Structures are given as C-alpha cells and as structure tokens.
C-alpha cells in the first residue's frame, strides 16, 4: 500500500477538457478527484445503485439535485442518494476541483435523464 495522488493514479478526461483521477478504484468503493474548467458541466443523470458524495476542494460547484440547485463552496459537500437525478456545473470564473465518492462504484451504473 502507498499514498496516492493525481500524479501516481489513473487519469482520464471527460466532457470539455475536464480531468479525473481514480484515487480509489475497488469493487465496493470509488474515490475520484475531478477538475472542471469554467463554463463546463456534466449531463443530467442518476445512478441505479450507487450513492455519491461530492466534496469541493477549490472553486464553486453548482449542482442540481432532483430539480433543486445548490452552490457548494470549498470544504462543503452534498450526498446524492441512488436513483436521484443530478447535474454538476461550473458556472464561475475559476477551475472547480472536487472529490466524488461512490459506493458501489458508479461506472456502468449511469442513466441519462
């Protein structure tokens, strides 16, 4: 076992120039750090089985959860139960970086709204 960071873990890109790093990728748990440039967003979706927790490291996240919009600042988070529609956006001028924890892992569990 060794400490992990964005330089020694699996990296991927998504959307318009968004980055992600798998900090933990196991059968029962996924912990990912993602960074979203200003003006970018993910598509509205939900997960059949995975529940998620989003925690902002820097920047400001705008996240719509089941039709209600929340603004999360650094050191704030929100829990998204499974089967709950949600969409994360970066409506601000600075990069948004956050941690998303999913259990079970959300890969292959996404349903577009």
């Amino acid at each position: 076992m060794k400490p992990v960071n964005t330089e020694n873990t699996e990296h991927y890109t998504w959307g318009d120039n968004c980055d992600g790093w798998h900090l933990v990728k196991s059968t029962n748990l996924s912990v990912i750090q993602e960074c979203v440039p200003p003006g970018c967003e993910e598509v509205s979706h939900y997960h059949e089985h995975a529940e998620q927790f989003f925690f902002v490291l820097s920047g400001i996240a705008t996240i719509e959860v089941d039709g209600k919009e929340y603004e999360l600042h650094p050191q704030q988070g929100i829990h998204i139960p499974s089967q709950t529609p949600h969409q994360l956006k970066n409506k601000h001028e600075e990069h948004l970086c956050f941690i998303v924890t999913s259990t079970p892992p959300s890969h292959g569990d996404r349903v577009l709204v």
Side-chain angles (χ1 to χ4, degrees), residues 12-16 18-20 22 30 32 34 36 40-52 54 63-64 80-89 98 100 102 104-113:
Y12 63 93
T13 58
W14 60 275
D16 295 327
C18 299
D19 290 292
H22 289 281
S30 170
I32 295 172
E34 292 189 330
V36 180
C40 292
E41 61 188 47
E42 66 179 349
V43 296
S44 184
H45 66 282
Y46 65 90
H47 298 281
E48 288 276 339
H49 305 287
E51 60 182 294
Q52 296 184 304
F54 290 81
I63 188 162
E64 186 177 316
I80 313 291
S82 64
Q83 301 188 14
T84 303
H86 58 283
Q87 180 181 20
L88 182 132
K89 304 173 185 176
F98 61 94
V100 58
S102 305
S106 60
H107 305 293
D109 185 35
R110 183 181 196 151
V111 178
L112 299 181
V113 176

Side-chain angles (χ1 to χ4, degrees), residues 29-100:
L29 177 65
S30 170
V31 180
I32 295 172
Q33 181 174 326
E34 292 189 330
C35 292
V36 180
C40 292
E41 61 188 47
E42 66 179 349
V43 296
S44 184
H45 66 282
Y46 65 90
H47 298 281
E48 288 276 339
H49 305 287
E51 60 182 294
Q52 296 184 304
F53 182 72
F54 290 81
F55 188 78
V56 175
L57 301 173
S58 62
I60 301 170
T62 302
I63 188 162
E64 186 177 316
V65 180
D66 207 14
K68 184 171 181 181
E69 197 167 86
Y70 300 89
E71 198 169 83
L72 301 176
H73 295 263
Q75 302 302 302
Q76 291 183 320
I78 192 165
H79 174 240
I80 313 291
S82 64
Q83 301 188 14
T84 303
H86 58 283
Q87 180 181 20
L88 182 132
K89 304 173 185 176
N90 183 357
K91 295 181 171 182
H92 299 274
E93 299 289 321
E94 61 185 293
H95 271 71
L96 164 64
C97 290
F98 61 94
I99 299 289
V100 58

Side-chain angles (χ1 to χ4, degrees), residues 1-27:
M1 199 175 305
K2 66 177 182 175
V4 298
N5 59 50
T6 57
E7 294 181 14
N8 67 5
T9 58
E10 180 185 341
H11 174 261
Y12 63 93
T13 58
W14 60 275
D16 295 327
N17 299 316
C18 299
D19 290 292
W21 296 267
H22 289 281
L23 302 177
V24 175
K25 189 176 183 182
S26 74
T27 305

